[in-house]
Amino acid sequence: RVTNNGQAQLNNLIPMLTAMGDTSGISYISGPLPVSASVAGNGGEAYFTWRYNITGSGSVSFYGEATGVDANSGLTVVLEPKVSGSVAMQSVATLSAGLIMPPVVSLNQVYTVRMYVSNTGMAGAVNVAPSSLNLAGSVGSAIRISGPSPAAQSIPGMSAVEFTWTYSAVGTGNVDFKGTASGQDENSGSTVTSPQAQRVINVQKAAALFASITAMPDPAKTGENITVIMTVNNDTAAANAVNVSITPQTLEVVVDSDARTVNLVSSPLPVSRVVTSGTPQFFTWIYALGNGAGHIAFSARAIGTDVNAGWGVSSASVSTNNIEVNPSAALSSATIANPGTVSVGQMITVEVSV
């Protein structure tokens, strides 16, 4: 802006502008507009405009000069140079986004989806908000429970924020999440949008344990060893069941009549296992029967944890066959030789009774 505080009009006023500072960060576009002007006396003003494109960072200032011709005297008038204030130049706000979530979840599990949005420009990005997450094309399915939180957030230059949702896995298969984040450059007000972020999560059937148990031999005899085997399976295509063990660990022993003395000889090692789909685990106990006859059975259930969701899983309680315990044979014997004294060549009779 040029102001004429004299009385005479100033004609053919021509401005000149010189950039100073980090001038490699600017690119000349146009100016001055207008190229020249006449300015009336007694406070008349003229405005000249230059346009530059910001191509780098740093700071610049501008040294302004102008000359004109006094309308009365025809003499050239050189105006006093002026230096502008410093202008800070920042690279435009630039957004990038990434989705963070567990790679695998179990059916009906509630899980968290996070969008990590970073601003790699120097200018701040204001009113940054994530788009709705697009699940189109997914085989599996999910229902949004909450989010995004926060709904919008400003991101200073060279900083990042997170937006969070919670979802429930309601259908097995891959779920394909896609989304972007958008905001405005705080300097120019122009809209900036991240490239699309994408992540796939797999929804598995929840772990489900099934058990069966057998005992042998049947029938058995008092004093004999009984072998008990529990077979534990996991559901087809289900999440792994971890820390699977048997409860009670020494089994529940059910007896009748006199078959009450049962001693544990050995129990399963390791105590806990991982049970994957299609690969059963076998838990084995050996018990020693006492000397009482009757019937005996063993029962227990398998417990563990769904590896994805962290919740507990359990099989139904199962029981063995009802083993018949019979008394073992108790033999005694006696030997009699008659006569008690014989001569050489004499026959003797030996009787053995059982």
Side-chain angles (χ1 to χ4, degrees), residues 5-299:
N5 293 318
Q7 294 182 337
Q9 179 171 298
L10 193 61
N11 293 330
N12 197 28
L13 179 64
I14 299 174
M16 292 168 287
L17 191 69
T18 303
M20 301 184 298
D22 296 311
T23 56
S24 61
I26 60 174
S27 174
Y28 170 80
I29 298 176
S30 63
L33 290 175
V35 176
S36 63
S38 295
V39 185
N42 299 313
E45 293 181 338
Y47 291 86
F48 300 91
T49 302
W50 288 259
R51 296 184 63 208
Y52 289 85
N53 186 36
I54 305 301
T55 59
S57 59
S59 62
V60 293
S61 56
F62 296 91
Y63 182 84
E65 306 170 87
T67 61
V69 177
D70 186 297
N72 295 331
S73 66
L75 297 176
T76 298
V77 178
V78 178
L79 279 66
E80 179 183 357
K82 297 290 184 179
V83 178
S84 72
S86 180
V87 177
M89 299 182 297
Q90 297 177 322
S91 57
V92 65
T94 304
L95 301 180
S96 62
L99 291 171
I100 304 169
M101 64 191 74
V104 184
V105 295
S106 293
L107 187 65
N108 298 319
Q109 180 180 342
V110 175
Y111 57 95
T112 299
V113 176
R114 293 179 292 154
M115 179 182 283
Y116 183 84
V117 182
S118 60
N119 176 10
T120 56
M122 295 182 66
V126 298
N127 301 319
V128 178
S131 66
S132 296
L133 296 180
N134 181 4
L135 278 60
S138 299
V139 176
S141 53
I143 294 175
R144 182 176 63 87
I145 297 175
S146 65
S149 178
Q153 179 75 48
S154 293
I155 308 178
M158 310 304 292
S159 299
V161 299
E162 275 189 354
F163 299 92
T164 303
W165 296 258
T166 56
Y167 277 82
S168 177
V170 296
T172 58
N174 287 339
V175 182
D176 189 4
F177 287 85
K178 298 178 284 291
T180 61
S182 297
Q184 290 80 44
D185 183 284
E186 68 175 346
N187 296 327
S188 67
S190 60
T191 298
V192 290
T193 301
S194 74
Q196 179 176 268
Q198 184 173 7
R199 181 75 66 178
V200 174
I201 189 171
N202 179 251
V203 181
Q204 292 182 317
K205 292 169 64 176
L209 297 179
F210 305 92
S212 61
I213 189 169
T214 60
M216 63 189 84
D218 183 16
K221 296 179 180 179
T222 56
E224 192 173 12
N225 283 348
I226 296 290
T227 299
V228 181
I229 300 174
M230 177 178 274
T231 304
V232 180
N233 284 283
N234 195 356
D235 198 5
T236 303
N240 289 349
V242 297
N243 299 321
V244 175
S245 61
I246 308 304
T247 185
Q249 290 189 3
T250 55
L251 304 179
E252 182 180 354
V253 183
V254 181
V255 297
D256 67 9
S257 299
D258 294 324
R260 300 185 181 278
T261 305
V262 182
N263 296 314
L264 178 64
V265 176
S266 65
S267 56
L269 287 176
V271 172
S272 63
R273 320 273 178 88
V274 176
V275 183
T276 60
S277 174
T279 305
Q281 290 290 324
F282 302 94
F283 297 80
T284 303
W285 297 258
I286 297 177
Y287 284 87
L289 295 174
N291 56 10
H295 292 84
I296 187 168
F298 303 86
S299 64

